Amino acid sequence: MHPKGQERLFNALLEISKTKQVFLTTHSPYFLASPHLKNIGLHIFAKNGNTSLIEPATLNPLLPWSPTWGEINFKAYKLPTVDFHNELYGWIQEKETLPSLKDFDVWIQRNGIALTKTWTPEMAEVPKSPLTVSLQTFIRNKIHHPENTTMQSVNYSIDELRQSIEEMINLL
């Protein structure tokens, strides 16, 4: 649904909820970012095999601009995305005033995360000396530098993406 349509629907549902109980299922940040939700029960429903799980959802934002699609998909569906990884990486850089990727890795190492990956930067398609970097910086570089031909055959797994996101969340 178009974002303006979601906004109108949300306002209509708020009006209806003054006299009736309303149940809504969504993963829309247009709904979940509303300040009106502080007085509303918000739950995450998930499946684990044949078992349905229901847990209260926290509205504690991880990022100043929360919730985002990536954050919602990770919290509700345990789905790690490059979008959420980028948001977390960028927010940590800004929050901790880490202007370079090297500064990021020094900070992350001081906070208990080892540098376990190798990244070979390129300048004008010429490989430079390999660097030992964190999983977070490796994934960030893979996302931001698809043109790096030296590193195109070296990938990360979905489990590594999830691990990287979880480690950054724990640092926040």
Side-chain angles (χ1 to χ4, degrees):
M1 181 181 278
H2 189 278
K4 285 293 184 189
Q6 291 181 54
E7 191 176 277
R8 286 193 297 277
L9 176 59
F10 184 74
N11 289 331
L13 291 170
L14 282 176
E15 190 61 34
I16 292 168
S17 72
K18 291 178 181 176
T19 59
K20 307 220 181 323
Q21 188 172 25
V22 176
F23 290 87
L24 175 70
T25 302
T26 187
H27 59 272
S28 168
Y30 295 100
F31 282 66
L32 297 173
S34 172
H36 299 288
L37 292 181
K38 65 182 174 212
N39 298 322
I40 295 174
L42 186 61
H43 294 80
I44 294 174
F45 293 77
K47 283 276 202 196
N48 184 4
N50 290 330
T51 305
S52 294
L53 306 171
I54 304 170
E55 60 184 65
T58 65
L59 290 177
N60 299 333
L62 290 171
L63 311 162
W65 54 90
S66 290
T68 66
W69 285 110
E71 186 177 0
I72 292 165
N73 284 323
F74 191 76
K75 285 183 173 179
Y77 307 114
K78 309 296 185 238
L79 179 65
T81 62
V82 295
D83 295 327
F84 192 38
H85 191 278
N86 277 341
E87 291 165 347
L88 289 167
Y89 195 102
W91 176 236
I92 289 172
Q93 272 190 300
E94 183 175 325
K95 183 176 167 227
E96 299 299 328
T97 318
L98 306 168
S100 74
L101 303 185
K102 182 175 175 138
D103 293 331
F104 182 95
D105 274 352
V106 167
W107 180 85
I108 209 164
Q109 198 172 22
R110 263 188 306 189
N111 283 279
I113 296 176
L115 306 184
T116 60
K117 300 295 268 184
T118 300
W119 178 261
T120 303
E122 287 183 350
M123 286 296 253
E125 298 181 11
V126 176
K128 300 297 177 193
S129 297
L131 304 170
T132 302
V133 299
S134 66
L135 176 60
Q136 289 74 17
T137 294
F138 177 83
I139 292 172
R140 182 256 179 228
N141 286 343
K142 283 293 290 183
I143 295 165
H144 287 257
H145 298 289
E147 77 286 354
N148 183 322
T149 56
T150 304
M151 297 302 298
Q152 282 181 349
S153 65
V154 183
N155 291 307
Y156 58 88
S157 69
I158 195 76
D159 289 334
E160 287 176 313
L161 181 60
R162 181 177 292 106
Q163 173 189 340
S164 181
I165 287 171
E166 287 171 351
E167 288 174 348
M168 287 190 285
I169 289 171
N170 289 337
L171 292 174
L172 293 174

